[in-house]
Amino acid sequence: MLPLKQSEEALKDKRRLRWACRRGMLELDVLFEPFVDQAYDELSEEQKAVFRRLVTCDDPDLFAWFMGHQKCEDEELDAMVQFMLSRVKV
């Protein structure tokens, strides 16, 4: 029964994360939501932690990073931005 409980908890976490990925900008929604659906499960635990940290960033910063207007100074976050851009084609 333990694996079922872990599976249920993982689904709850993913639902919470999917909700957190709903941004105030369509340009970000079309990046974050497909990424969670298509690639999040394949990430290592470290990468998942970086992604969860990325989701907490402000929309104007995220927009600037993803549109290439600015480079994220945090190397881990920047690597995740680049990875997401390589995985999600819009």
Side-chain angles (χ1 to χ4, degrees):
M1 189 156 196
L2 185 59
L4 180 60
K5 183 171 175 67
Q6 288 174 341
S7 177
E8 289 173 7
E9 191 62 34
L11 286 173
K12 284 181 187 178
D13 288 342
K14 193 164 181 182
R15 280 193 294 258
R16 277 186 236 129
L17 185 60
R18 192 175 286 124
W19 180 257
C21 286
R22 294 174 52 122
R23 312 307 297 195
M25 300 176 148
L26 177 62
E27 295 88 348
L28 296 175
D29 287 345
V30 299
L31 289 166
F32 276 87
E33 291 178 23
F35 182 80
V36 170
D37 291 337
Q38 299 167 10
Y40 181 78
D41 292 334
E42 300 169 18
L43 299 177
S44 68
E45 289 305 314
E46 294 81 17
Q47 289 172 313
K48 287 178 181 179
V50 172
F51 181 77
R52 288 190 299 270
R53 196 161 54 93
L54 183 68
V55 171
T56 67
C57 295
D58 293 331
D59 284 358
D61 292 331
L62 291 169
F63 181 80
W65 300 336
F66 279 100
M67 298 304 134
H69 299 209
Q70 290 179 335
K71 183 176 181 350
C72 178
E73 298 299 320
D74 183 303
E75 290 182 18
E76 288 182 329
L77 294 180
D78 186 58
M80 182 57 65
V81 167
Q82 299 311 313
F83 180 69
M84 288 176 66
L85 286 171
S86 73
R87 288 296 305 258
V88 177
K89 302 300 180 198
V90 278

